Amino acid sequence: MASEKKKKRPRPEPNSDSEEPDWDPPPRSRSRPSNPSSSSSNKALSFKKLLKPDSAILDTLKKLYDSHHQNPNPNPTSLSDLSLPFPCREVSDLPPSSVERAIESTILTAASSILSGDGFSFSVPGRGPSNQLYVPELDRIVLKDKSSSRSFSSLSTVRKAAVTARILSLIHQLCLKNIHVTKRDLFYTDVKLFGDQSQSDTVLDDVSCMLGCTRSSLNVVASEKGVVVGRLVFSDDGDRIDCTKMGVGGKAIPPNIDRVSDLESDALFILLVEKDAAFMRLAEDRLCGFYNRFPCIIVTAKGQPDVATRLFLRKMKTELRLPVLALVDSDPYGLKILSVYMCGSKNMSYDSSNLTTPDIKWLGIRPSDLDKYHIPEQCRLAMTEQDIKTGRDLLEEDFVKKNPGWVEELGLMVKTKQKAEIQALSSFGFQYLSEVYLPLKIQQRDWL
């Protein structure tokens, strides 16, 4: 059982007497007594007076942890448990030998077709929007089981058929040798044929779906992107990694999650951060910093989430049974990034069962926070027409409609046509995020 794998490490006493930073607002000019920027700073900094001692905030986190630990799986239903009116396609982790056999079977079928005089084609699952569906019972996107023919004899598909055959050959070699390469390495094996890496990447996902295995099973990984820091110890291919000793940059999340094992933590929650800048701010003060005051694990994919970070987040949540709080920009793209972590991306809907982490709580920055925390006008950005369209499109998504809080916040964003980045909080001081905003949000249980 996952709960039996968790091992406790001693938790130090909370540092409730840590030295407080200097929050004196900038001096106001006598000739301009009504400076709106200074007034906004004074109002925002007054929130510090609302903070309770760290021990009280820790009590709130412990209640959240206990509640989640008792019921860590809000969506235990699997696709096979549902009686959907149409078949769906899902993939699973397969060992190299099984992937080899699947490729060989595919090629034998093609060879038989050639010998019979019919040429050859691949049956490729359709991954377009019309073949995808959000299933509320699972709270994630799934892929319907519809396929199309990719024929070598058709002008419209001959090139993709050739690329597919080449990718299958390369994957077969990797599985035989049991070695891993990056997607970039794969592209450079045949640059003239592939033309552009986006094309080889797309066919790689097609092949994964065709063979019925996860992309990790193909022994092709993305370059390291995500990082983690905080109260976590794990083994990376046999090496023991203590994430409290990784410095400001954190520990790079291994591209091959199969290397990760033996997770240990005394954290009360996982803090998922959209951007690298906010991650560094929270990771910087190791001794009296955020993840030691409020025991947590901080993780970021530095923007759009990659597969390894999504797998790693799911692994932590499942094995350590921890709640996840998310900190993203107050704009439509921050919410799109959060939705990818929660219910999956349409591009990889075939593997959503392995890549999604349901029940992530949206902590901030939320559109309602802009006025609540008196974010100065000069730190707010006007939404572009594309931003507004993206926000309205999100309001039409089923996974948004099921959450009234999301609908209200997105509606406010589209109405005010204002957005703000996490860094807008730095207008009140570089430590305002870790010293005031996040502790107060947690203290007030202000998440969706």
Side-chain angles (χ1 to χ4, degrees):
M1 297 293 291
S3 58
E4 296 174 347
K5 294 181 181 179
K6 179 174 179 181
K7 303 175 185 177
K8 289 285 185 179
R9 298 167 60 218
R11 180 181 294 131
E13 291 296 320
N15 184 7
S16 58
D17 299 322
S18 58
E19 183 180 353
E20 297 182 348
D22 182 4
W23 291 114
D24 291 335
R28 300 176 62 180
S29 169
R30 293 182 180 179
S31 60
R32 300 178 63 189
S34 58
N35 185 330
S37 176
S38 182
S39 174
S40 178
S41 296
N42 288 330
K43 289 178 181 178
L45 297 175
S46 68
F47 281 106
K48 188 178 182 185
K49 298 177 182 178
L50 301 178
L51 283 173
K52 297 179 181 179
D54 283 5
S55 56
I57 301 173
L58 281 168
D59 285 340
T60 301
L61 285 171
K62 288 172 184 175
K63 289 176 182 177
L64 173 66
Y65 171 87
D66 291 340
S67 173
H68 184 84
H69 208 69
Q70 292 166 6
N71 182 27
N73 298 311
N75 297 291
T77 306
S78 66
L79 191 57
S80 60
D81 296 328
L82 302 177
S83 299
L84 297 177
F86 44 79
C88 291
R89 179 181 289 264
E90 282 195 317
V91 299
S92 57
D93 283 317
L94 294 179
S97 58
S98 296
V99 177
E100 286 174 39
R101 287 194 295 270
I103 293 173
E104 290 162 3
S105 176
T106 300
I107 298 304
L108 284 173
T109 300
S112 177
S113 179
I114 293 170
L115 291 173
S116 65
D118 296 326
F120 82 89
S121 63
F122 296 110
S123 179
V124 181
R127 296 191 294 115
S130 63
N131 205 29
Q132 298 166 351
L133 181 73
Y134 172 77
V135 179
E137 295 89 344
L138 303 175
D139 196 17
R140 58 182 172 86
I141 300 170
V142 300
L143 185 68
K144 291 188 280 188
D145 194 13
K146 293 182 180 179
S147 299
S148 61
S149 177
R150 185 171 290 174
S151 174
F152 193 75
S153 61
S154 169
L155 281 175
S156 61
T157 59
V158 60
R159 189 173 180 283
K160 268 202 167 181
V163 172
T164 303
R166 181 64 171 141
I167 293 287
L168 285 167
S169 173
L170 292 169
I171 299 302
H172 192 259
Q173 293 178 39
L174 293 175
C175 291
L176 279 173
K177 298 176 181 178
N178 198 22
I179 58 175
H180 291 76
V181 299
T182 66
K183 292 194 295 181
R184 193 68 175 167
D185 289 330
L186 195 75
F187 166 68
Y188 272 109
T189 59
D190 208 330
V191 174
K192 289 187 177 180
L193 175 62
F194 297 147
D196 184 87
Q197 187 179 334
S198 63
Q199 297 186 41
S200 59
D201 287 354
T202 298
V203 173
L204 189 66
D205 283 325
D206 290 339
V207 166
S208 177
C209 204
M210 284 169 56
L211 301 179
C213 66
T214 62
R215 207 173 70 187
S216 302
S217 301
L218 302 180
N219 284 11
V220 180
V221 298
S223 300
E224 293 179 348
K225 180 185 178 186
V227 287
V228 60
V229 75
R231 310 292 279 269
L232 175 69
V233 176
F234 65 92
S235 293
D236 179 2
D237 202 22
D239 295 327
R240 204 66 179 148
I241 307 297
D242 185 345
C243 293
T244 63
K245 300 177 180 178
M246 291 292 108
V248 178
K251 161 65 179 171
I253 293 172
N256 182 6
I257 299 300
D258 293 339
R259 291 168 24 186
V260 176
S261 61
D262 301 324
L263 277 70
E264 297 180 20
S265 177
D266 63 350
L268 294 173
F269 69 105
I270 298 167
L271 182 62
L272 176 62
V273 181
E274 176 186 348
K275 289 184 171 178
D276 193 29
F279 175 91
M280 291 178 65
R281 174 64 260 155
L282 294 168
E284 193 164 20
D285 301 320
R286 283 170 41 189
L287 297 179
C288 58
F290 186 82
Y291 66 75
N292 278 326
R293 286 179 62 200
F294 309 109
C296 66
I297 302 166
I298 308 174
V299 64
T300 183
K302 303 178 184 179
Q304 189 66 29
D306 58 309
V307 169
T309 303
R310 291 162 67 187
L311 286 170
F312 190 75
L313 178 66
R314 180 180 175 85
K315 187 179 185 72
M316 286 194 297
K317 186 181 190 297
T318 302
E319 295 194 12
L320 301 175
R321 300 172 67 183
L322 296 174
V324 183
L325 303 179
L327 179 67
V328 299
D329 286 341
S330 178
D331 62 25
Y333 303 101
L335 277 187
K336 287 189 75 172
I337 285 171
L338 182 52
S339 71
V340 169
Y341 281 111
M342 294 177 68
C343 58
S345 65
K346 292 181 178 179
N347 185 50
M348 298 192 69
S349 54
Y350 64 88
D351 197 13
S352 62
S353 61
N354 297 306
L355 293 173
T356 54
T357 302
D359 195 35
I360 297 176
K361 303 183 188 305
W362 182 14
L363 187 65
I365 305 285
R366 301 210 302 270
S368 58
D369 289 344
L370 302 192
D371 285 342
K372 179 180 178 181
Y373 286 87
H374 307 288
I375 302 297
E377 286 296 327
Q378 67 267 25
C379 296
R380 306 185 192 193
L381 302 171
M383 291 174 66
T384 65
E385 289 301 317
Q386 183 60 45
D387 291 336
I388 295 170
K389 181 183 182 303
T390 302
R392 287 174 177 159
D393 289 344
L394 277 171
L395 282 167
E396 297 303 315
E397 295 283 359
D398 290 333
F399 66 84
V400 172
K401 290 179 179 178
K402 68 171 288 188
N403 191 325
W406 278 52
V407 173
E408 183 178 348
E409 293 286 351
L410 257 174
L412 177 63
M413 184 190 298
V414 171
K415 179 182 178 181
T416 61
K417 298 181 181 180
Q418 288 187 324
K419 60 183 180 179
E421 298 182 356
I422 299 169
Q423 285 75 22
L425 294 169
S426 296
S427 62
F428 307 126
F430 292 118
Q431 292 180 300
Y432 191 83
L433 173 67
S434 58
E435 294 288 345
V436 180
Y437 179 79
L438 288 177
L440 189 58
K441 295 279 278 189
I442 293 170
Q443 174 184 304
Q444 297 176 342
R445 300 180 63 88
D446 186 15
W447 51 68
L448 294 177

